Amino acid sequence: MSEAGSESGERLVGLFLELASLPSPTGGERLVADYLKERLGRTGLMVVEGPPVGEGSQAAGNLYCHIPPSAEGTPILFSAHMDTVVSEPGAMPEPLVEGGIIKSGSRAVLGADDKAAIAAMVLAVERVLEEGRTHAGIELLFTVCEESGLRGAKASSMESIAAECGFCMDCTGKVGGIVVRSPSQKTIRARFSGRAAHAGVEPEKGRSAIRAAAAAIAAMELGRLDDDTTANIGTIKGGDAINVVPASCEIEGEARSHDPDRLEEVVGAMMGAINLAAAQEGVDVETVVVDEFSGFDFRSGGQPLELAARAVKRLGLEPSYISTGGGSDVNVLNLKGLKCVNLAIGMEKLHSPDEFIAVESLVQAHRLLMEIITEAAG
Ligand SMILES: [Zn+2]
């Protein structure tokens, strides 16, 4: 009998379907948080909830749970996020299984990103306790607001964390993929303030904020700048009417690089273009640069990478090492001092109503967790 059809496989799919049927748009994770508190509470574990991060009655805080060790070894932490993106406001999730594939039966996203990881984690802990498996200490961190700027992870307190290393389970692609390298990212915002004037009667008296913003963007080097570095201006807003010289314009963008010095250089050049264009057009400009997250690089080794790679091999798979341009909670946890890698869990076509995960992949993701727990206690 294949593992997908086994008792634990059926239980895993049932658990995932329950989680996926609870809407948890980013900032409104209440239903999933309550479900997890109740479900893990049944095993006798205490689940601690942090202060709410989103706004409104459906907001929730990060959940934290500790399973004290029963053996020597490396204490570990698993992390996943409870929120999902919203593909169509108001659409209710209707997860279904068809031909070994779990997908959405409505316009709502399935939310395997990241509930597949949550299901794999919860079942792992339940089995460890039920089967009396030895382990070296397991902590679970379920974050909120990952999809809206990693706000949950950023707000998380690491004070009580005993783990020596961690595993975020939030990467698309086949089980066995391990994200070993991720860039740092900075966000840039600029608000140009010119002077309004009638465009047909006295344009000479105006100072166009849109023209300044356009000149700044045109002077920037954007897109893929080198193998390690990207830059983008993602939004532009400005102007009030076609017959008015626009007095205001705002732009937002970002830069990412695996090389922190190069990132500084690129952001410096983007800021230079903004300030120069403002000066040449005679408008004022206010700018903000925010450190969104910092990168990591485990290509030369490290505890979480080695544990994950050994666990992947125990599944009979070959680890594949991924260098990504994206950022997730894993960047924040590394920044906070916990060495973490991000693991692929088999989910596909994320952030769209076509998102899906194969039952086989979900089961593999769960088995990978079980193997990491075993390896950490070895
Ligand atoms: Zn995710």
Side-chain angles (χ1 to χ4, degrees):
M1 183 194 272
S2 75
E3 178 95 18
S6 71
E7 192 188 322
S8 61
E10 279 167 27
R11 187 163 146 195
L12 180 63
V13 171
L15 170 54
F16 173 72
L17 291 175
E18 283 183 21
L19 284 162
S21 65
L22 300 172
S24 59
T26 191
E29 304 86 355
R30 186 74 266 149
L31 293 175
V32 169
D34 287 345
Y35 175 92
L36 289 174
K37 283 161 100 170
E38 197 274 329
R39 174 112 188 188
L40 288 166
R42 270 190 254 158
T43 65
L45 291 170
M46 206 177 55
V47 181
V48 179
E49 180 171 353
V53 177
E55 292 81 36
S57 62
Q58 293 303 302
N62 300 315
L63 300 184
Y64 168 79
C65 181
H66 181 217
I67 302 96
S70 60
E72 297 277 308
T74 308
I76 53 175
L77 175 141
F78 293 114
S79 173
H81 62 89
M82 294 186 278
D83 59 317
T84 68
V85 294
V86 179
S87 63
E88 191 163 298
M92 286 299 285
E94 288 170 27
L96 53 89
V97 189
E98 213 173 77
I101 301 290
I102 313 176
K103 58 187 187 179
S104 172
S106 72
R107 294 297 301 162
V109 291
L110 174 64
D113 173 17
D114 199 17
K115 290 169 182 170
I118 297 177
M121 284 161 65
V122 169
L123 184 63
V125 166
E126 287 177 350
R127 286 186 60 196
V128 163
L129 296 172
E130 285 165 19
E131 297 165 17
R133 291 182 178 228
T134 54
H135 66 94
I138 305 166
E139 287 160 281
L140 305 181
L141 176 64
F142 300 108
T143 61
V144 294
C145 296
E146 194 271 347
E147 304 288 7
S148 48
L150 316 178
R151 289 184 294 151
K154 285 176 183 172
S156 68
S157 161
M158 303 299 281
E159 261 169 39
S160 55
I161 302 290
E164 287 174 23
C165 64
F167 305 89
C168 286
M169 311 209 41
D170 191 16
C171 181
T172 184
K174 288 196 169 66
V175 173
I178 307 169
V179 177
V180 292
R181 187 171 179 245
S182 171
S184 301
Q185 184 191 325
K186 288 180 192 279
T187 301
I188 290 174
R189 293 189 181 87
R191 179 184 297 167
F192 296 88
S193 302
R195 192 189 311 137
H198 194 292
V201 180
E202 45 183 13
E204 303 79 4
K205 292 189 176 168
R207 291 278 178 272
S208 171
I210 288 181
R211 209 177 136 97
I217 296 167
M220 289 177 189
E221 205 188 337
L222 299 174
R224 179 167 298 286
L225 307 190
D226 57 52
D227 285 351
D228 288 346
T229 313
T230 58
N232 184 51
I233 293 295
T235 71
I236 178 164
K237 294 185 193 108
D240 294 311
I242 56 170
N243 61 350
V244 180
V245 175
S248 75
C249 186
E250 288 178 41
I251 61 173
E252 289 179 313
E254 58 152 56
R256 302 175 189 223
S257 183
H258 292 285
D259 175 349
D261 293 337
R262 178 79 171 116
L263 180 61
E264 289 297 333
E265 186 185 305
V266 169
V267 170
M270 292 170 85
M271 297 303 289
I274 289 167
N275 289 320
L276 181 63
Q280 284 175 342
E281 295 295 329
V283 308
D284 293 329
V285 67
E286 288 170 64
T287 55
V288 184
V289 177
V290 180
D291 281 306
E292 288 299 336
F293 50 76
S294 72
F296 58 86
D297 189 349
F298 289 107
R299 282 175 303 168
S300 53
Q303 205 172 26
L305 172 64
E306 282 149 27
L307 272 175
R310 290 207 301 270
V312 168
K313 286 177 185 159
R314 284 176 67 110
L315 288 181
L317 301 171
E318 236 354 89
S320 69
Y321 301 108
I322 302 166
S323 180
T324 178
S328 69
D329 282 355
V330 71
N331 297 68
V332 179
L333 297 183
N334 274 295
L335 180 63
K336 290 188 176 220
L338 183 68
K339 300 242 170 294
C340 292
V341 289
N342 195 5
L343 304 177
I345 58 169
M347 54 199 185
E348 303 288 351
K349 296 197 177 172
L350 307 191
H351 296 192
S352 84
D354 299 328
E355 184 193 10
F356 70 90
I357 185 167
V359 170
E360 191 86 35
S361 300
L362 181 61
V363 169
Q364 267 184 336
H366 165 69
R367 287 179 57 212
L368 177 62
L369 284 196
M370 299 303 285
E371 295 296 356
I372 290 173
I373 292 168
T374 305
E375 277 293 324

